[in-house]
mmCIF file of all heavy atoms in Angstrom:
data_model
loop_
_atom_site.group_PDB
_atom_site.id
_atom_site.type_symbol
_atom_site.label_atom_id
_atom_site.label_comp_id
_atom_site.label_asym_id
_atom_site.label_seq_id
_atom_site.Cartn_x
_atom_site.Cartn_y
_atom_site.Cartn_z
ATOM 1 N N PHE A 1097 -8.761 20.578 -14.331
ATOM 2 C CA PHE A 1097 -8.103 21.723 -13.678
ATOM 3 C C PHE A 1097 -7.133 22.395 -14.642
ATOM 4 O O PHE A 1097 -7.042 23.624 -14.704
ATOM 5 C CB PHE A 1097 -7.346 21.267 -12.432
ATOM 6 C CG PHE A 1097 -8.214 20.799 -11.296
ATOM 7 C CD1 PHE A 1097 -7.664 20.053 -10.250
ATOM 8 C CD2 PHE A 1097 -9.563 21.090 -11.249
ATOM 9 C CE1 PHE A 1097 -8.442 19.618 -9.194
ATOM 10 C CE2 PHE A 1097 -10.361 20.651 -10.188
ATOM 11 C CZ PHE A 1097 -9.790 19.910 -9.169
ATOM 12 N N ASN A 1098 -6.373 21.585 -15.380
ATOM 13 C CA ASN A 1098 -5.386 22.135 -16.316
ATOM 14 C C ASN A 1098 -6.050 22.858 -17.484
ATOM 15 O O ASN A 1098 -5.507 23.832 -18.010
ATOM 16 C CB ASN A 1098 -4.485 21.022 -16.854
ATOM 17 C CG ASN A 1098 -3.381 20.645 -15.892
ATOM 18 O OD1 ASN A 1098 -2.982 21.437 -15.042
ATOM 19 N ND2 ASN A 1098 -2.869 19.434 -16.019
ATOM 20 N N GLU A 1099 -7.208 22.377 -17.892
ATOM 21 C CA GLU A 1099 -7.885 22.960 -19.050
ATOM 22 C C GLU A 1099 -8.675 24.216 -18.697
ATOM 23 O O GLU A 1099 -8.683 25.193 -19.456
ATOM 24 C CB GLU A 1099 -8.813 21.929 -19.679
ATOM 25 C CG GLU A 1099 -9.479 22.409 -20.964
ATOM 26 C CD GLU A 1099 -10.323 21.327 -21.613
ATOM 27 O OE1 GLU A 1099 -10.230 20.155 -21.189
ATOM 28 O OE2 GLU A 1099 -11.078 21.666 -22.549
ATOM 29 N N HIS A 1100 -9.327 24.194 -17.526
ATOM 30 C CA HIS A 1100 -10.252 25.274 -17.185
ATOM 31 C C HIS A 1100 -9.842 26.081 -15.956
ATOM 32 O O HIS A 1100 -10.438 27.133 -15.682
ATOM 33 C CB HIS A 1100 -11.651 24.702 -16.937
ATOM 34 C CG HIS A 1100 -12.206 23.942 -18.098
ATOM 35 N ND1 HIS A 1100 -12.633 24.551 -19.262
ATOM 36 C CD2 HIS A 1100 -12.376 22.596 -18.284
ATOM 37 C CE1 HIS A 1100 -13.072 23.632 -20.109
ATOM 38 N NE2 HIS A 1100 -12.914 22.436 -19.552
ATOM 39 N N GLY A 1101 -8.859 25.607 -15.208
ATOM 40 C CA GLY A 1101 -8.481 26.249 -13.950
ATOM 41 C C GLY A 1101 -9.197 25.585 -12.794
ATOM 42 O O GLY A 1101 -10.377 25.209 -12.907
ATOM 43 N N GLU A 1102 -8.519 25.425 -11.690
ATOM 44 C CA GLU A 1102 -9.086 24.720 -10.531
ATOM 45 C C GLU A 1102 -10.315 25.418 -9.972
ATOM 46 O O GLU A 1102 -11.301 24.778 -9.566
ATOM 47 C CB GLU A 1102 -7.978 24.567 -9.476
ATOM 48 C CG GLU A 1102 -8.417 24.004 -8.150
ATOM 49 C CD GLU A 1102 -8.823 25.094 -7.163
ATOM 50 O OE1 GLU A 1102 -8.280 26.204 -7.269
ATOM 51 O OE2 GLU A 1102 -9.681 24.822 -6.304
ATOM 52 N N ARG A 1103 -10.327 26.739 -9.953
ATOM 53 C CA ARG A 1103 -11.450 27.480 -9.371
ATOM 54 C C ARG A 1103 -12.747 27.285 -10.156
ATOM 55 O O ARG A 1103 -13.833 27.399 -9.597
ATOM 56 C CB ARG A 1103 -11.118 28.971 -9.281
ATOM 57 C CG ARG A 1103 -10.214 29.316 -8.102
ATOM 58 C CD ARG A 1103 -9.866 30.784 -8.047
ATOM 59 N NE ARG A 1103 -8.961 31.178 -9.127
ATOM 60 C CZ ARG A 1103 -8.353 32.343 -9.207
ATOM 61 N NH1 ARG A 1103 -8.567 33.264 -8.279
ATOM 62 N NH2 ARG A 1103 -7.536 32.620 -10.204
ATOM 63 N N ALA A 1104 -12.637 27.004 -11.452
ATOM 64 C CA ALA A 1104 -13.830 26.886 -12.298
ATOM 65 C C ALA A 1104 -14.466 25.497 -12.243
ATOM 66 O O ALA A 1104 -15.568 25.301 -12.760
ATOM 67 C CB ALA A 1104 -13.481 27.230 -13.740
ATOM 68 N N ILE A 1105 -13.774 24.536 -11.642
ATOM 69 C CA ILE A 1105 -14.231 23.150 -11.659
ATOM 70 C C ILE A 1105 -14.713 22.724 -10.270
ATOM 71 O O ILE A 1105 -14.017 22.910 -9.277
ATOM 72 C CB ILE A 1105 -13.098 22.215 -12.137
ATOM 73 C CG1 ILE A 1105 -12.697 22.552 -13.567
ATOM 74 C CG2 ILE A 1105 -13.518 20.755 -12.023
ATOM 75 C CD1 ILE A 1105 -13.804 22.383 -14.582
ATOM 76 N N THR A 1106 -15.913 22.148 -10.224
ATOM 77 C CA THR A 1106 -16.473 21.621 -8.980
ATOM 78 C C THR A 1106 -16.442 20.100 -9.012
ATOM 79 O O THR A 1106 -16.194 19.482 -10.055
ATOM 80 C CB THR A 1106 -17.922 22.085 -8.796
ATOM 81 O OG1 THR A 1106 -18.728 21.480 -9.829
ATOM 82 C CG2 THR A 1106 -18.032 23.611 -8.898
ATOM 83 N N THR A 1107 -16.743 19.492 -7.883
ATOM 84 C CA THR A 1107 -16.829 18.024 -7.841
ATOM 85 C C THR A 1107 -17.953 17.527 -8.742
ATOM 86 O O THR A 1107 -17.858 16.438 -9.315
ATOM 87 C CB THR A 1107 -17.053 17.534 -6.402
ATOM 88 O OG1 THR A 1107 -18.154 18.248 -5.813
ATOM 89 C CG2 THR A 1107 -15.799 17.728 -5.555
ATOM 90 N N ASN A 1108 -19.016 18.318 -8.901
ATOM 91 C CA ASN A 1108 -20.103 17.928 -9.815
ATOM 92 C C ASN A 1108 -19.609 17.887 -11.260
ATOM 93 O O ASN A 1108 -20.006 17.006 -12.036
ATOM 94 C CB ASN A 1108 -21.278 18.888 -9.697
ATOM 95 C CG ASN A 1108 -22.101 18.651 -8.444
ATOM 96 O OD1 ASN A 1108 -22.002 17.595 -7.821
ATOM 97 N ND2 ASN A 1108 -22.901 19.624 -8.043
ATOM 98 N N HIS A 1109 -18.765 18.866 -11.637
ATOM 99 C CA HIS A 1109 -18.187 18.856 -12.976
ATOM 100 C C HIS A 1109 -17.357 17.583 -13.187
ATOM 101 O O HIS A 1109 -17.429 16.956 -14.263
ATOM 102 C CB HIS A 1109 -17.276 20.068 -13.184
ATOM 103 C CG HIS A 1109 -17.999 21.368 -13.295
ATOM 104 N ND1 HIS A 1109 -17.667 22.465 -12.530
ATOM 105 C CD2 HIS A 1109 -19.047 21.750 -14.067
ATOM 106 C CE1 HIS A 1109 -18.457 23.467 -12.844
ATOM 107 N NE2 HIS A 1109 -19.316 23.056 -13.764
ATOM 108 N N ILE A 1110 -16.585 17.224 -12.193
ATOM 109 C CA ILE A 1110 -15.713 16.044 -12.301
ATOM 110 C C ILE A 1110 -16.551 14.775 -12.435
ATOM 111 O O ILE A 1110 -16.283 13.914 -13.281
ATOM 112 C CB ILE A 1110 -14.767 15.953 -11.084
ATOM 113 C CG1 ILE A 1110 -13.853 17.186 -11.027
ATOM 114 C CG2 ILE A 1110 -13.932 14.674 -11.147
ATOM 115 C CD1 ILE A 1110 -13.142 17.367 -9.697
ATOM 116 N N ALA A 1111 -17.590 14.667 -11.603
ATOM 117 C CA ALA A 1111 -18.470 13.495 -11.657
ATOM 118 C C ALA A 1111 -19.152 13.395 -13.024
ATOM 119 O O ALA A 1111 -19.215 12.311 -13.623
ATOM 120 C CB ALA A 1111 -19.502 13.572 -10.535
ATOM 121 N N ALA A 1112 -19.645 14.529 -13.530
ATOM 122 C CA ALA A 1112 -20.321 14.528 -14.832
ATOM 123 C C ALA A 1112 -19.353 14.146 -15.946
ATOM 124 O O ALA A 1112 -19.716 13.418 -16.879
ATOM 125 C CB ALA A 1112 -20.929 15.905 -15.093
ATOM 126 N N HIS A 1113 -18.118 14.633 -15.851
ATOM 127 C CA HIS A 1113 -17.105 14.324 -16.863
ATOM 128 C C HIS A 1113 -16.847 12.818 -16.921
ATOM 129 O O HIS A 1113 -16.608 12.260 -18.001
ATOM 130 C CB HIS A 1113 -15.816 15.075 -16.526
ATOM 131 C CG HIS A 1113 -14.700 14.859 -17.501
ATOM 132 N ND1 HIS A 1113 -14.652 15.485 -18.729
ATOM 133 C CD2 HIS A 1113 -13.576 14.069 -17.436
ATOM 134 C CE1 HIS A 1113 -13.558 15.118 -19.369
ATOM 135 N NE2 HIS A 1113 -12.892 14.257 -18.615
ATOM 136 N N LEU A 1114 -16.907 12.161 -15.771
ATOM 137 C CA LEU A 1114 -16.653 10.714 -15.696
ATOM 138 C C LEU A 1114 -17.926 9.887 -15.832
ATOM 139 O O LEU A 1114 -17.860 8.643 -15.817
ATOM 140 C CB LEU A 1114 -15.962 10.390 -14.364
ATOM 141 C CG LEU A 1114 -14.511 10.832 -14.223
ATOM 142 C CD1 LEU A 1114 -14.049 10.693 -12.779
ATOM 143 C CD2 LEU A 1114 -13.609 10.035 -15.146
ATOM 144 N N ASN A 1115 -19.064 10.588 -15.906
ATOM 145 C CA ASN A 1115 -20.360 9.909 -15.987
ATOM 146 C C ASN A 1115 -20.593 9.007 -14.773
ATOM 147 O O ASN A 1115 -21.045 7.861 -14.894
ATOM 148 C CB ASN A 1115 -20.466 9.087 -17.279
ATOM 149 C CG ASN A 1115 -21.900 8.724 -17.622
ATOM 150 O OD1 ASN A 1115 -22.845 9.434 -17.246
ATOM 151 N ND2 ASN A 1115 -22.086 7.612 -18.324
ATOM 152 N N ILE A 1116 -20.252 9.536 -13.592
ATOM 153 C CA ILE A 1116 -20.538 8.849 -12.331
ATOM 154 C C ILE A 1116 -21.366 9.789 -11.466
ATOM 155 O O ILE A 1116 -21.448 10.993 -11.722
ATOM 156 C CB ILE A 1116 -19.249 8.431 -11.583
ATOM 157 C CG1 ILE A 1116 -18.434 9.674 -11.168
ATOM 158 C CG2 ILE A 1116 -18.412 7.468 -12.419
ATOM 159 C CD1 ILE A 1116 -17.213 9.352 -10.312
ATOM 160 N N SER A 1117 -21.978 9.254 -10.432
ATOM 161 C CA SER A 1117 -22.795 10.086 -9.552
ATOM 162 C C SER A 1117 -21.890 10.852 -8.586
ATOM 163 O O SER A 1117 -20.788 10.386 -8.246
ATOM 164 C CB SER A 1117 -23.759 9.223 -8.752
ATOM 165 O OG SER A 1117 -23.040 8.426 -7.820
ATOM 166 N N PRO A 1118 -22.337 12.033 -8.122
ATOM 167 C CA PRO A 1118 -21.567 12.748 -7.096
ATOM 168 C C PRO A 1118 -21.333 11.877 -5.867
ATOM 169 O O PRO A 1118 -20.268 11.947 -5.241
ATOM 170 C CB PRO A 1118 -22.454 13.950 -6.772
ATOM 171 C CG PRO A 1118 -23.217 14.198 -8.036
ATOM 172 C CD PRO A 1118 -23.490 12.830 -8.588
ATOM 173 N N GLY A 1119 -22.320 11.041 -5.529
ATOM 174 C CA GLY A 1119 -22.170 10.155 -4.374
ATOM 175 C C GLY A 1119 -21.024 9.180 -4.548
ATOM 176 O O GLY A 1119 -20.302 8.877 -3.589
ATOM 177 N N ASN A 1120 -20.840 8.689 -5.777
ATOM 178 C CA ASN A 1120 -19.730 7.776 -6.068
ATOM 179 C C ASN A 1120 -18.401 8.502 -5.879
ATOM 180 O O ASN A 1120 -17.440 7.959 -5.317
ATOM 181 C CB ASN A 1120 -19.854 7.252 -7.500
ATOM 182 C CG ASN A 1120 -18.952 6.066 -7.769
ATOM 183 O OD1 ASN A 1120 -18.096 5.711 -6.961
ATOM 184 N ND2 ASN A 1120 -19.117 5.448 -8.932
ATOM 185 N N LEU A 1121 -18.349 9.749 -6.341
ATOM 186 C CA LEU A 1121 -17.121 10.532 -6.165
ATOM 187 C C LEU A 1121 -16.831 10.752 -4.681
ATOM 188 O O LEU A 1121 -15.693 10.586 -4.221
ATOM 189 C CB LEU A 1121 -17.248 11.877 -6.888
ATOM 190 C CG LEU A 1121 -15.987 12.763 -6.896
ATOM 191 C CD1 LEU A 1121 -15.904 13.575 -8.187
ATOM 192 C CD2 LEU A 1121 -15.973 13.725 -5.701
ATOM 193 N N TYR A 1122 -17.883 11.091 -3.913
ATOM 194 C CA TYR A 1122 -17.680 11.365 -2.487
ATOM 195 C C TYR A 1122 -17.349 10.108 -1.689
ATOM 196 O O TYR A 1122 -16.854 10.196 -0.569
ATOM 197 C CB TYR A 1122 -18.916 12.055 -1.898
ATOM 198 C CG TYR A 1122 -19.060 13.489 -2.352
ATOM 199 C CD1 TYR A 1122 -20.246 13.945 -2.938
ATOM 200 C CD2 TYR A 1122 -18.010 14.394 -2.204
ATOM 201 C CE1 TYR A 1122 -20.374 15.263 -3.361
ATOM 202 C CE2 TYR A 1122 -18.135 15.709 -2.621
ATOM 203 C CZ TYR A 1122 -19.312 16.128 -3.203
ATOM 204 O OH TYR A 1122 -19.429 17.434 -3.617
ATOM 205 N N TYR A 1123 -17.625 8.946 -2.268
ATOM 206 C CA TYR A 1123 -17.206 7.701 -1.629
ATOM 207 C C TYR A 1123 -15.681 7.621 -1.582
ATOM 208 O O TYR A 1123 -15.100 7.074 -0.641
ATOM 209 C CB TYR A 1123 -17.778 6.505 -2.398
ATOM 210 C CG TYR A 1123 -17.294 5.170 -1.890
ATOM 211 C CD1 TYR A 1123 -17.846 4.595 -0.749
ATOM 212 C CD2 TYR A 1123 -16.269 4.476 -2.548
ATOM 213 C CE1 TYR A 1123 -17.398 3.370 -0.271
ATOM 214 C CE2 TYR A 1123 -15.818 3.252 -2.090
ATOM 215 C CZ TYR A 1123 -16.383 2.709 -0.947
ATOM 216 O OH TYR A 1123 -15.926 1.486 -0.473
ATOM 217 N N HIS A 1124 -15.030 8.209 -2.593
ATOM 218 C CA HIS A 1124 -13.568 8.141 -2.703
ATOM 219 C C HIS A 1124 -12.876 9.393 -2.156
ATOM 220 O O HIS A 1124 -11.755 9.303 -1.639
ATOM 221 C CB HIS A 1124 -13.171 7.947 -4.168
ATOM 222 C CG HIS A 1124 -13.648 6.656 -4.756
ATOM 223 N ND1 HIS A 1124 -13.017 5.449 -4.547
ATOM 224 C CD2 HIS A 1124 -14.729 6.385 -5.536
ATOM 225 C CE1 HIS A 1124 -13.658 4.490 -5.175
ATOM 226 N NE2 HIS A 1124 -14.707 5.019 -5.793
ATOM 227 N N PHE A 1125 -13.544 10.539 -2.272
ATOM 228 C CA PHE A 1125 -12.940 11.813 -1.836
ATOM 229 C C PHE A 1125 -13.979 12.650 -1.090
ATOM 230 O O PHE A 1125 -15.114 12.779 -1.542
ATOM 231 C CB PHE A 1125 -12.415 12.607 -3.046
ATOM 232 C CG PHE A 1125 -11.283 11.936 -3.771
ATOM 233 C CD1 PHE A 1125 -11.529 11.183 -4.916
ATOM 234 C CD2 PHE A 1125 -9.980 12.038 -3.304
ATOM 235 C CE1 PHE A 1125 -10.488 10.556 -5.592
ATOM 236 C CE2 PHE A 1125 -8.932 11.410 -3.971
ATOM 237 C CZ PHE A 1125 -9.190 10.667 -5.106
ATOM 238 N N ARG A 1126 -13.555 13.239 0.014
ATOM 239 C CA ARG A 1126 -14.477 14.031 0.837
ATOM 240 C C ARG A 1126 -14.887 15.324 0.142
ATOM 241 O O ARG A 1126 -16.021 15.774 0.261
ATOM 242 C CB ARG A 1126 -13.832 14.374 2.190
ATOM 243 C CG ARG A 1126 -13.535 13.169 3.073
ATOM 244 C CD ARG A 1126 -13.051 13.607 4.445
ATOM 245 N NE ARG A 1126 -11.860 14.446 4.354
ATOM 246 C CZ ARG A 1126 -10.623 13.963 4.275
ATOM 247 N NH1 ARG A 1126 -10.435 12.654 4.234
ATOM 248 N NH2 ARG A 1126 -9.592 14.781 4.212
ATOM 249 N N ASN A 1127 -13.947 15.931 -0.593
ATOM 250 C CA ASN A 1127 -14.201 17.220 -1.238
ATOM 251 C C ASN A 1127 -13.114 17.476 -2.288
ATOM 252 O O ASN A 1127 -12.239 16.621 -2.506
ATOM 253 C CB ASN A 1127 -14.221 18.353 -0.201
ATOM 254 C CG ASN A 1127 -13.025 18.295 0.738
ATOM 255 O OD1 ASN A 1127 -11.898 18.044 0.313
ATOM 256 N ND2 ASN A 1127 -13.258 18.497 2.031
ATOM 257 N N LYS A 1128 -13.173 18.638 -2.910
ATOM 258 C CA LYS A 1128 -12.206 18.952 -3.964
ATOM 259 C C LYS A 1128 -10.789 19.072 -3.397
ATOM 260 O O LYS A 1128 -9.815 18.681 -4.058
ATOM 261 C CB LYS A 1128 -12.604 20.250 -4.675
ATOM 262 C CG LYS A 1128 -11.774 20.517 -5.928
ATOM 263 C CD LYS A 1128 -12.376 21.607 -6.789
ATOM 264 C CE LYS A 1128 -12.175 22.980 -6.207
ATOM 265 N NZ LYS A 1128 -12.534 24.060 -7.163
#
């Protein structure tokens, strides 16, 4: 968010950055 702005980043971007599946991310957080 700090590097690119919150609007430009999706949960898929976050999952890819961490090399985890979107499903793994959604296990911990419902949405952005």
Side-chain angles (χ1 to χ4, degrees):
F1097 292 164
N1098 279 336
E1099 185 176 349
H1100 302 288
E1102 173 269 331
R1103 281 179 290 190
I1105 297 298
T1106 66
T1107 51
N1108 284 343
H1109 289 128
I1110 298 165
H1113 181 77
L1114 288 169
N1115 198 27
I1116 64 175
S1117 68
N1120 194 351
L1121 185 147
Y1122 288 126
Y1123 175 79
H1124 296 280
F1125 295 97
R1126 296 187 302 275
N1127 48 42
K1128 189 167 74 169

